[in-house]
């Protein structure tokens, strides 16, 4: 959840690290810091708050060194203080360390180090790890052909239980960095006479497109001239250099006020990119090159089990609805964090699917590993190319929506809905769906970008509604069938970025409890699309109105509501069932966004959150 950046080259490291940290800030923004090798010691600056605070402090520090490491923190162990910010130094001042993850046995290591005279300035597990490196280093002797620095990091990591992505420097080796990972992402950038390290490619792409994705239990030793990778068990690893396709402009804000706004408005293009080249020549089904699921293997599968977290979990629920409806296959949806410990009995004929925008969410990664350990085939739907989940799965589909920087997921979510609809089509056509129904379904999916564009045209109208409703303290989001998960997503969006309490419920379930909340003070955002449920939805709305609840209704153009029933009306264009969840999501994204803006919230970096959750 923290951001890591490292640099070795000929340029001033601090400027490059600070730029990288700015780009990584969405991974954690409690505090930030950097350390640079400077005349045999570390130039160190760290500060509570945003990277801009750090930039101001660093400007005063005259950091001229060309090797350095930097970090943005999402606090786990220890409060948000300058002392707890990274990098941490060992008590002898020889080592500087940044860390993403959690060292679970840090208390016992700390006790041991205290007996050896090491001292601690912070409450963090990271400082403990840093001192353990110093301890091993002090015990090591220099040996021809081996790096004492590397050996002491390796020995330290053999004792560390938990997860880590680390980068460390030693004052005795002024142009070297040793970095390693287990459970937290780490990428090496191979530039022109320079090397970079980062927990996320967006921090690298302004300097290089060539990257090496480190695997768990790998250590990279970087010097000014080259790098070598080995495992914790000292086996050499031949590096594979991949090329990143994301462009640096993709992570820039451009003329938008917030990344969330930019990403909401990017959705038509994002949906086009998600679909591109993925329909069969006869336009009757979807094509997924990377799924690695040949038809004869698909025939052995009779149920699908999805695991995900947060918005991606909502996307799984919509996909469940569509697969069951069109492909007539039973689908189960689990929270990744529950699945990994629940030990559910599942038939051998189950196919697993993990959905994750970042591809690094630790709970989803653990669910993937658990399913694989039990011998199931695991496929994924991931946005970030080369991410750990994508690499460890047996196959999958990439979302191709470019970097999503806003902490609240928007374009990645609708792209997951689209891929879910495409999967439903693909499975349905392998089973009973006819050619002509397939053609009609494909035509409908292709309309999605245009339909979303139409909803986006209503942004000014939705902004007005947001102004009128921003002061309410509680909201209900109500929908049925495939729009129940969209109601959950609407409630999550509002909670995350505006800090207003909101709950999503199946509309008809409301009368079994949540109706007690209805009053003039608790508005309901109500999805009432055209279709066979419309009259039942209208009845549920009447029940709200009878209790003086205010209603923001999201209704298909051409559907008539009884006069006075809705206090606010947002129209969505008529569309196919498979596209409806995508089209219906956009108004609630806009509503939440504009409410948060109205309340002057920090939309892209809401309190307590971070973009990808790489700790348990
Ligand atoms: O990267 P992932 O899709 O695995 O992330 C899952 C959730 O952490 C994520 O969707 C989170 O709920 C977002 N903040 C939602 O806006």
């Amino acid at each position: 959840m923290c951001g890591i950046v490292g640099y070795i080259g000929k340029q001033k490291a601090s400027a490059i690290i600070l730029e990288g940290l700015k780009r990584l800030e969405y991974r954690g923004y409690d505090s930030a810091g950097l350390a640079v090798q400077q005349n045999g010691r570390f130039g160190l600056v760290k500060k509570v708050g945003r990277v801009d605070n750090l930039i101001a402090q660093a400007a005063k520090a005259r950091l001229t060194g060309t090797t350095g490491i930097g970090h943005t923190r999402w606090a786990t162990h220890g409060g948000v203080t300058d002392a707890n910010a990274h990098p941490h130094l060992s008590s002898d001042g020889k080592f500087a360390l940044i860390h993403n993850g959690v060292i679970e046995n840090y208390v016992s290591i700390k006790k041991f180090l205290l007996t050896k005279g090491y001292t601690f300035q912070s409450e963090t597990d990271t400082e403990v790890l840093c001192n353990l490196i110093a301890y091993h280093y002090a015990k090591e002797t220099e040996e021809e052909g081996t790096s004492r620095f590397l050996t002491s990091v390796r020995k330290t990591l053999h004792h560390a239980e938990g997860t880590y992505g680390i980068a460390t420097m030693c004052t005795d080796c002024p142009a070297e960095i040793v970095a390693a990972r287990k459970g937290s992402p780490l990428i090496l950038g191979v530039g022109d006479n320079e090397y970079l390290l980062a927990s996320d490619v967006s921090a690298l792409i302004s300097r290089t497109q060539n990257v090496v994705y480190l695997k768990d239990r790998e250590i990279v030793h970087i010097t000014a001239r080259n790098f070598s990778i080995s495992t914790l068990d000292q086996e050499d690893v031949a590096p594979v250099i991949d090329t990143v396709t994301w462009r640096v402009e993709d992570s820039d804000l451009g003329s938008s006020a917030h990344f969330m706004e930019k990403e909401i408005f990017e959705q038509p293009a994002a949906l086009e990119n998600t679909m591109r080249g993925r329909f069969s020549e006869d336009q009757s089904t979807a094509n997924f090159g990377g799924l690695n699921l040949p038809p004869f293997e698909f025939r052995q599968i009779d149920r699908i089990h999805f695991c995900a977290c947060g918005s991606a979990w909502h996307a799984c629920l919509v996909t469940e609805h569509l697969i069951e409806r069109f492909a007539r296959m039973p689908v189960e949806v689990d929270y990744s964090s529950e699945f990994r410990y629940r030990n559910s009995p599942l038939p051998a004929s189950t196919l697993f699917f993990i959905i994750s925008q970042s591809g690094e969410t630790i709970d989803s990664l653990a669910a993937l590993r658990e399913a694989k350990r039990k011998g199931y085939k695991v496929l994924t739907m991931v946005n970030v190319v080369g991410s750990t989940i994508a690499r460890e799965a047996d196959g999958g589909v990439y979302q191709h929506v470019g970097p999503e920087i806003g902490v609240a997921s928007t374009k990645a979510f609708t792209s997951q809905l689209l891929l879910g609809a495409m999967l439903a089509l693909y499975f349905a056509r392998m089973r009973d769906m006819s050619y002509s129904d397939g053609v009609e379904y494909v035509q409908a999916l292709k309309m999605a970008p245009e339909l979303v564009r139409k909803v986006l045209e209503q942004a000014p109208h939705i902004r007005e509604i947001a102004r009128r409703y921003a002061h309410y303290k509680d909201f209900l989001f109500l929908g049925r069938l495939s729009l129940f998960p969209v109601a959950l997503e609407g409630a999550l969006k509002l909670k995350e970025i505006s800090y207003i309490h909101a709950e999503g419920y199946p509309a008809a379930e409301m009368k079994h409890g949540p109706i007690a909340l209805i009053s003039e003070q608790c508005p309901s955002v109500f999805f009432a699309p055209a279709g066979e449920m419309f009259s039942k939805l209208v009845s549920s709305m009447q029940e709200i109105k009878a209790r003086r609840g205010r209603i923001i209704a999201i209704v298909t153009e051409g559907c008539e509501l009884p006069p006075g029933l809705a206090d606010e009306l947002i129209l969505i264009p008529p569309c196919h069932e498979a596209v409806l969840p995508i089209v219906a999501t956009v108004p609630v994204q806009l509503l939440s966004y504009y409410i948060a803006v109205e309340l002057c919230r920090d939309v892209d970096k809401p309190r307590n959150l971070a973009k990808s959750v790489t700790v348990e």
Side-chain angles (χ1 to χ4, degrees):
M1 321 216 8
C2 307
I4 283 181
V5 187
Y7 177 81
I8 298 189
K10 298 198 174 354
Q11 309 296 316
K12 235 164 88 174
S14 57
I16 292 164
I17 291 169
L18 288 169
E19 192 213 321
L21 291 180
K22 233 8 227 163
R23 293 194 182 277
L24 284 194
E25 202 172 14
Y26 70 136
R27 294 189 71 100
Y29 33 84
D30 291 338
S31 58
L34 86 163
V36 170
Q37 292 270 12
Q38 197 110 313
N39 311 320
R41 56 177 199 87
F42 294 119
L44 175 72
V45 187
K46 44 192 202 169
K47 217 55 217 148
V48 159
R50 300 296 161 87
V51 173
D52 283 338
N53 279 357
L54 179 70
I55 293 175
Q57 295 295 318
K60 297 178 206 152
R62 296 175 194 278
L63 301 170
T64 51
T66 59
T67 301
I69 54 178
H71 187 267
T72 61
R73 178 169 187 243
W74 185 86
T76 57
H77 291 65
V80 181
T81 62
D82 287 349
N84 287 337
H86 300 210
H88 289 281
L89 302 190
S90 55
S91 52
D92 60 7
K94 256 191 192 322
F95 291 89
L97 179 76
I98 51 175
H99 167 220
N100 175 13
V102 174
I103 303 301
E104 287 163 5
N105 59 338
Y106 83 105
V107 175
S108 59
I109 300 176
K110 188 170 183 174
K111 270 190 197 151
F112 167 78
L113 290 169
L114 284 168
T115 66
K116 300 289 172 193
Y118 288 85
T119 55
F120 296 87
Q121 314 298 317
S122 77
E123 304 147 287
T124 64
D125 49 345
T126 307
E127 192 185 12
V128 173
L129 208 56
C130 189
N131 275 311
L132 191 59
I133 298 173
Y135 166 78
H136 284 297
Y137 189 80
K139 284 203 328 181
E140 279 299 308
T141 47
E142 217 56 77
E143 263 182 54
E144 186 67 29
T146 58
S147 156
R148 184 175 160 202
F149 177 23
L150 176 63
T151 306
S152 29
V153 176
R154 187 178 273 124
K155 285 198 168 159
T156 298
L157 295 179
H158 272 298
H159 290 107
E161 288 165 17
T163 55
Y164 53 79
I166 58 159
T168 178
M169 301 188 296
C170 172
T171 49
D172 290 346
C173 314
E176 293 183 24
I177 293 177
V178 173
R181 69 160 278 178
K182 186 180 146 222
S184 301
L186 202 56
I187 304 157
L188 171 71
V190 181
D192 197 7
N193 285 320
E194 62 186 20
Y195 296 104
L196 294 107
L197 268 173
S199 45
D200 187 322
V201 285
S202 34
L204 305 174
I205 48 180
S206 68
R207 301 200 71 83
T208 181
Q209 306 289 118
N210 301 323
V211 299
V212 179
Y213 295 101
L214 294 180
K215 297 200 185 84
D216 272 357
R217 297 175 57 81
E218 285 184 353
I219 304 192
V220 57
H221 182 197
I222 315 166
T223 68
R225 288 210 206 100
N226 56 30
F227 71 93
S228 61
I229 303 177
S230 54
T231 65
L232 276 192
D233 302 321
Q234 272 180 281
E235 288 152 4
D236 290 339
V237 174
V240 177
I241 299 185
D242 280 297
T243 308
V244 180
T245 53
W246 284 0
R247 303 158 311 163
V248 71
E249 313 84 88
D250 296 336
S251 342
D252 287 341
L253 192 53
S255 58
S256 305
H258 300 100
F259 280 104
M260 183 174 177
E261 182 193 32
K262 176 177 180 244
E263 288 157 7
I264 289 174
F265 283 88
E266 272 173 3
Q267 287 179 112
L271 294 169
E272 264 150 24
N273 290 337
T274 300
M275 279 190 285
R276 184 162 300 119
R278 284 187 165 153
F279 292 117
S280 62
E281 234 179 278
D282 70 357
Q283 301 286 297
S284 75
T285 187
N287 265 343
F288 294 111
L291 219 48
N292 298 332
L293 187 66
F296 69 87
E297 209 181 303
F298 173 76
R299 305 267 23 133
Q300 317 300 313
I301 289 158
D302 58 20
R303 60 190 300 124
I304 304 177
H305 202 96
F306 281 91
C307 290
C309 308
S311 293
W313 183 76
H314 300 152
C316 293
L317 293 176
V318 172
T319 305
E320 172 187 29
H321 178 88
L322 295 177
I323 293 178
E324 291 193 345
R325 160 90 174 80
F326 290 102
R328 311 294 305 149
M329 286 178 84
V331 176
E332 210 49 59
V333 177
D334 238 332
Y335 285 113
S336 301
S337 52
E338 290 294 301
F339 168 77
R340 60 183 292 195
Y341 293 116
R342 215 183 46 240
N343 204 10
S344 333
L346 289 165
S349 52
T350 305
L351 172 68
F352 267 82
F353 241 103
I354 308 283
I355 302 190
S356 172
Q357 184 285 130
S358 62
E360 300 292 351
T361 300
I362 199 87
D363 287 322
S364 292
L365 179 59
L368 175 150
R369 289 177 177 163
E370 176 66 3
K372 284 195 76 170
R373 186 186 68 76
K374 290 183 165 172
Y376 293 100
K377 179 155 189 154
V378 185
L379 304 181
T380 60
M381 190 190 286
V382 163
N383 186 37
V384 179
V385 175
S387 55
T388 312
I389 290 177
R391 281 184 293 121
E392 291 197 13
D394 298 307
V397 283
Y398 279 121
Q399 298 181 231
H400 296 312
V401 299
E404 187 179 70
I405 312 282
V407 164
S409 185
T410 51
K411 64 175 179 176
F413 176 70
T414 47
S415 135
Q416 287 161 354
L417 297 184
L418 178 59
L419 281 177
M422 292 169 74
L423 275 181
L425 166 69
Y426 180 69
F427 294 148
R429 289 282 290 128
M430 300 274 253
R431 289 162 75 99
D432 300 326
M433 186 188 268
S434 69
Y435 165 79
S436 57
D437 285 351
V439 169
E440 191 193 316
Y441 194 113
V442 169
Q443 289 315 312
L445 292 183
K446 287 184 164 179
M447 296 289 293
E450 194 44 42
L451 295 171
V452 166
R453 242 173 236 123
K454 279 196 174 158
V455 181
L456 290 171
E457 283 167 12
Q458 293 193 61
H461 167 58
I462 296 174
R463 184 167 205 161
E464 282 308 311
I465 298 176
R467 283 202 178 112
R468 290 195 282 278
Y469 285 78
H471 62 281
Y472 285 90
K473 302 278 180 266
D474 300 283
F475 276 78
L476 283 180
F477 284 73
L478 302 164
R480 290 189 82 159
L481 304 176
S482 66
L483 296 194
F484 160 53
V486 176
L488 292 175
E489 175 65 6
L492 177 65
K493 288 289 87 94
L494 189 64
K495 275 187 274 210
E496 287 189 288
I497 57 167
S498 68
Y499 320 144
I500 293 173
H501 168 248
E503 282 186 48
Y505 250 89
E509 186 64 18
M510 173 201 60
K511 56 188 176 294
H512 298 288
I515 199 163
L517 297 173
I518 300 288
S519 74
E520 278 171 311
Q521 301 311 316
C522 176
S524 299
V525 178
F526 207 109
F527 293 98
E532 56 185 18
M533 303 306 285
F534 185 71
S535 56
K536 292 188 188 299
L537 289 162
V538 170
S539 302
S540 300
M541 278 196 251
Q542 300 279 18
E543 289 159 13
I544 295 174
K545 209 67 247 156
R547 287 153 185 90
R548 309 207 309 184
R550 300 186 70 81
I551 296 177
I552 301 169
I554 299 171
V555 178
T556 311
E557 281 163 21
C559 283
E560 294 264 316
L561 287 180
L565 185 57
D567 298 277
E568 311 289 345
L569 197 61
I570 301 172
L571 295 177
I572 54 172
C575 57
H576 189 279
E577 230 183 299
V579 181
L580 175 64
I582 300 171
V583 172
T585 297
V586 181
V588 288
Q589 292 173 338
L590 289 168
L591 185 68
S592 306
Y593 171 69
Y594 288 128
I595 287 179
V597 169
E598 196 60 28
L599 295 173
C600 300
R601 303 294 192 227
D602 194 344
V603 173
D604 287 333
K605 300 186 189 76
R607 72 181 179 205
N608 304 339
L609 291 171
K611 182 65 181 167
S612 75
V613 182
T614 55
V615 293
E616 204 179 329

